[in-house]
C-alpha cells in the first residue's frame, strides 16, 4: 500500500466521525417539529423550547469530553480515543432514531432522548481534536493545511447530506407520515456509517510524530496546556468565534427565523443551505490547498474574519428579501466568507501545540469556543433582537464576532511549512557552528 493511499485512508477515518456529528445536528434542526411532536407533546411554544433544550444540553458536556478524551488520546494514543468517540456518537444518534415516542413509553422517552444527547455531546468533545490531530500528524510536509481542511469541509458536506435527505423525505411523504416515522430513517443510517468508521479507525497506525512524543508522555496533559499553552488556547477560542457563530447562525438560527419572521418559504431556506454549504465545502478545500503554497496567517486567518464582517449586512439583507435569487446568493456569500479561514483553521490550531499535548489543546480550545459561542448563537441572536427591537442586531453581532476573530488571527504566528523548514535549517546551522 502506497503512502498516498494510507494518508487518504487516515483522512477518511478521521473525518467520518465529524460527518456523523454534523449530519445528526442538521437532522435535528430539520426535523425539530417531528421531534417535538414525538417527545415533547405539550401545548404552545413550550414544546419547541423543550426540544431546543434537548439539543443544547449536549454542548454543556463537550468541554468535559474534550478533557477526558484529550487526556487518554495524548497519553495512550489517538486511535483508541477516536474509536470510542465514533461509537458513542453513532450509537447515540441511532438511539434517537429508534426511541419510542412519549405516547408509547411516557416520560422515559424524553429522558432517554436527553441522555442520548448528553452521550453524543460528551463524545463530540473528543472528536474534533482527535480527528484533527490524526489528519495533521499524518499529512506530508507542505500539505498540512489541505489535509486539515477536510475536517471543516466534512461539516458542510454533512449539512448538504442532511438537508438533501430532509428535502427528499419532505416532498415524497405525507406530513403526518413524516412526523410520525419518516423522520427516523436518516437517524438510523448513522449506525452502519459509524461501524465503517470504527473499522477504519481501528486499522489506523499512530503517526511517527506522536510515537516519538509518546516515549515521554505527560502525566497530566490538561495541566501542561493550562500552565504552558493557555495563551494558545485563548487565541484559538478567539479565532474560532466568528466561524462557529456563522455556522450556527446558518444551521441553527436562520431556518426558523427566516420562515417565521421574514416569511421565506421553508423549501427555499433549505435550497439556500444546500447550495451554499456545497460551495462552501469546496471553497474550504481550495483555501486549504492554497494556504500550503502561500502561508496561512494574513491571506486566510486574517482575511476570513474581515470578509465575514464585511459581508454580514449584505448577507442578512439578501436572505430576508425572500426571493429565490436573493436567498441563494445570501447563503452563497455567507459560506464563501466562512470558507476562507475554515480552510486553514484546523491546521493552525493543531500547530499551536506540541504533539505530547496536541489532542488536549485542540479539544479544549475548540469545544469551549463552540459551546459558548456556537451553540449559544441562536439564543444570543434571539435575545439581541428582542432587546434592541431591530433585526439588524443579527449582522451587528456577526460583525462583532469577526472583530474578535481578527484580533486572534493577528496574534497568531505564521507556522507554515516553509517557516518550519527555515527554522530547522537555522537550528542545523547553529548546531554546526
Amino acid at each position: 500500500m502506497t503512502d498516498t493511499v494510507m494518508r487518504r485512508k487516515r483522512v477518511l477515518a478521521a473525518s467520518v466521525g465529524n460527518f456523523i456529528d454534523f449530519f445528526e445536528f442538521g437532522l435535528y434542526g430539520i426535523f425539530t417539529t417531528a421531534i417535538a411532536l414525538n417527545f415533547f407533546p405539550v401545548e404552545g411554544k413550550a414544546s419547541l423550547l423543550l426540544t431546543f433544550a434537548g439539543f443544547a444540553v449536549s454542548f454543556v458536556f463537550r468541554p468535559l469530553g474534550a478533557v477526558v478524551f484529550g487526556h487518554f488520546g495524548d497519553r495512550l494514543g489517538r486511535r483508541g480515543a477516536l474509536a470510542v468517540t465514533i461509537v458513542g456518537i453513532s450509537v447515540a444518534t441511532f438511539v434517537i432514531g429508534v426511541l419510542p415516542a412519549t405516547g408509547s413509553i411516557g416520560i422515559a422517552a424524553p429522558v432517554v432522548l436527553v441522555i442520548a444527547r448528553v452521550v453524543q455531546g460528551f463524545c463530540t468533545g473528543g472528536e474534533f481534536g482527535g480527528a484533527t490531530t490524526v489528519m495533521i500528524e499524518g499529512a506530508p510536509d507542505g500539505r498540512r493545511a489541505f489535509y486539515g481542511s477536510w475536517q471543516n469541509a466534512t461539516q458542510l458536506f454533512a449539512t448538504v447530506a442532511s438537508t438533501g435527505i430532509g428535502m427528499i423525505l419532505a416532498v415524497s411523504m405525507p406530513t403526518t407520515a413524516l412526523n410520525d416515522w419518516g423522520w427516523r430513517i436518516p437517524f438510523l443510517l448513522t449506525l452502519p456509517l459509524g461501524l465503517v468508521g470504527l473499522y477504519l479507525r481501528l486499522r489506523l497506525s499512530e503517526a511517527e510524530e506522536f510515537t516519538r512524543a509518546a516515549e515521554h508522555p505527560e502525566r497530566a496533559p490538561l495541566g501542561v496546556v493550562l500552565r504552558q499553552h493557555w495563551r494558545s488556547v485563548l487565541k484559538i477560542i478567539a479565532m474560532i468565534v466568528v466561524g462557529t457563530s456563522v455556522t450556527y447562525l446558518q444551521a441553527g438560527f436562520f431556518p426558523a427565523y427566516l420562515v417565521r419572521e421574514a416569511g421565506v418559504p421553508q423549501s427555499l431556506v433549505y435550497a439556500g443551505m444546500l447550495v451554499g454549504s456545497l460551495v462552501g465545502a469546496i471553497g474550504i478545500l481550495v483555501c486549504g490547498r492554497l494556504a500550503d503554497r502561500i502561508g496561512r496567517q494574513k491571506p486566510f486567518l486574517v482575511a476570513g474574519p474581515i470578509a465575514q464582517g464585511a459581508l454580514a449586512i449584505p448577507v442578512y439583507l439578501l436572505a430576508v428579501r425572500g426571493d429565490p435569487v436573493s436567498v441563494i446568493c445570501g447563503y452563497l456569500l455567507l459560506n464563501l466568507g466562512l470558507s476562507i479561514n475554515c480552510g486553514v483553521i484546523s491546521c493552525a490550531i493543531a500547530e499551536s501545540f506540541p504533539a505530547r499535548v496536541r489532542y488536549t489543546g485542540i479539544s479544549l480550545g475548540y469545544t469551549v469556543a463552540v459551546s459558548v459561542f456556537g451553540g449559544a448563537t441562536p439564543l444570543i441572536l434571539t435575545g439581541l433582537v428582542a432587546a434592541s427591537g431591530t433585526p439588524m442586531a443579527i449582522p451587528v453581532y456577526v460583525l462583532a464576532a469577526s472583530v474578535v476573530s481578527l484580533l486572534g488571527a493577528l496574534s497568531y504566528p505564521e507556522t507554515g511549512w516553509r517557516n518550519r523548514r527555515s527554522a530547522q535549517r537555522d537550528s542545523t546551522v547553529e548546531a554546526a557552528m
Side-chain angles (χ1 to χ4, degrees):
M1 185 181 299
T2 65
D3 288 344
T4 301
V5 173
M6 290 180 63
R7 285 167 175 158
R8 288 175 179 173
K9 286 187 174 182
R10 290 180 70 88
V11 171
L12 178 61
S15 58
V16 66
N18 204 34
F19 179 92
I20 294 173
D21 182 45
F22 270 75
F23 182 67
E24 189 275 343
F25 166 70
L27 293 176
Y28 200 101
I30 291 170
F31 296 118
T32 295
T33 300
I35 293 172
L37 291 172
N38 279 269
F39 300 110
F40 304 101
V42 295
E43 295 183 0
K45 294 183 178 180
S47 179
L48 281 177
L49 288 174
L50 289 172
T51 304
F52 284 130
F55 174 77
V57 70
S58 68
F59 290 91
V60 177
F61 289 86
R62 285 192 180 194
L64 178 60
V67 171
V68 172
F69 286 107
H71 176 85
F72 289 105
D74 281 327
R75 283 187 55 82
L76 303 179
R78 289 57 163 117
R79 179 175 59 186
L82 285 175
V84 176
T85 61
I86 197 169
V87 169
I89 292 171
S90 57
V91 170
T93 305
F94 180 80
V95 166
I96 294 174
V98 299
L99 182 62
T102 301
S104 300
I105 61 174
I107 192 65
V111 170
V112 174
L113 174 67
V114 170
I115 292 174
R117 293 291 301 162
V118 167
V119 171
Q120 188 178 45
F122 178 76
C123 292
T124 298
E127 173 62 32
F128 184 90
T132 301
T133 298
V134 166
M135 287 180 176
I136 299 302
E137 290 179 347
D141 215 6
R143 302 199 72 184
R144 280 190 164 194
F146 177 66
Y147 273 55
S149 68
W150 280 96
Q151 183 71 313
N152 293 89
T154 299
Q155 297 178 0
L156 292 186
F157 282 132
T159 300
V160 171
S162 60
T163 305
I165 291 175
M167 290 177 65
I168 291 172
L169 291 175
V171 300
S172 62
M173 299 181 66
T175 302
T176 54
L178 180 66
N179 290 336
D180 185 28
W181 59 270
W183 67 272
R184 298 177 180 271
I185 296 173
F187 281 84
L188 304 181
L189 298 176
T190 59
L191 186 59
L193 185 60
L195 292 176
V196 172
L198 176 62
Y199 171 78
L200 292 172
R201 289 185 173 185
L202 290 176
R203 293 172 61 86
L204 283 175
S205 58
E206 300 290 359
E208 183 181 351
E209 186 176 4
F210 170 73
T211 302
R212 291 195 304 268
E215 294 177 358
H216 303 285
E218 296 290 348
R219 295 184 60 185
L222 178 62
V224 174
V225 169
L226 294 178
R227 289 194 310 270
Q228 301 179 16
H229 304 285
W230 61 270
R231 290 183 180 85
S232 294
V233 173
L234 293 179
K235 290 176 184 178
I236 288 170
I237 293 172
M239 289 192 294
I240 292 176
V241 165
V242 69
T244 191
S245 296
V246 169
T247 297
Y248 287 88
L249 163 71
Q250 172 179 229
F253 179 77
F254 260 179
Y257 177 82
L258 292 179
V259 172
R260 295 182 181 181
E261 303 298 329
V264 181
Q266 187 81 67
S267 58
L268 182 55
V269 173
Y270 289 153
M273 287 179 62
L274 193 66
V275 175
S277 297
L278 181 59
V279 172
I282 296 172
I284 287 173
L285 297 176
V286 171
C287 289
R289 191 67 191 99
L290 287 175
D292 283 321
R293 296 178 178 273
I294 63 177
R296 287 190 273 281
Q297 187 189 24
K298 291 183 179 179
F300 298 99
L301 292 177
V302 171
I306 292 175
Q308 289 171 87
L311 292 172
I313 293 177
V315 164
Y316 173 77
L317 294 177
L318 285 169
V320 297
R321 284 188 62 179
D323 63 274
V325 174
S326 296
V327 172
I328 291 176
C329 285
Y331 271 98
L332 280 173
L333 289 177
L334 183 148
N335 281 279
L336 286 173
L338 184 65
S339 69
I340 296 174
N341 60 333
C342 280
V344 302
I345 192 69
S346 293
C347 181
I349 63 179
E351 292 183 340
S352 298
F353 303 97
R356 58 195 173 89
V357 295
R358 182 171 290 140
Y359 198 144
T360 300
I362 296 175
S363 298
L364 183 63
Y366 177 81
T367 56
V368 169
V370 172
S371 298
V372 175
F373 297 99
T377 291
L379 180 62
I380 292 172
L381 292 178
T382 302
L384 287 175
V385 171
S388 65
T390 172
M392 290 305 294
I394 297 169
V396 170
Y397 176 78
V398 174
L399 180 60
S402 68
V403 172
V404 175
S405 291
L406 177 60
L407 294 175
L410 289 172
S411 67
Y412 172 82
E414 178 60 70
T415 58
W417 69 282
R418 288 188 176 88
N419 293 52
R420 294 200 309 275
R421 284 188 169 181
S422 177
Q424 291 171 358
R425 286 196 300 269
D426 292 343
S427 299
T428 302
V429 171
E430 290 179 2
M433 293 178 64

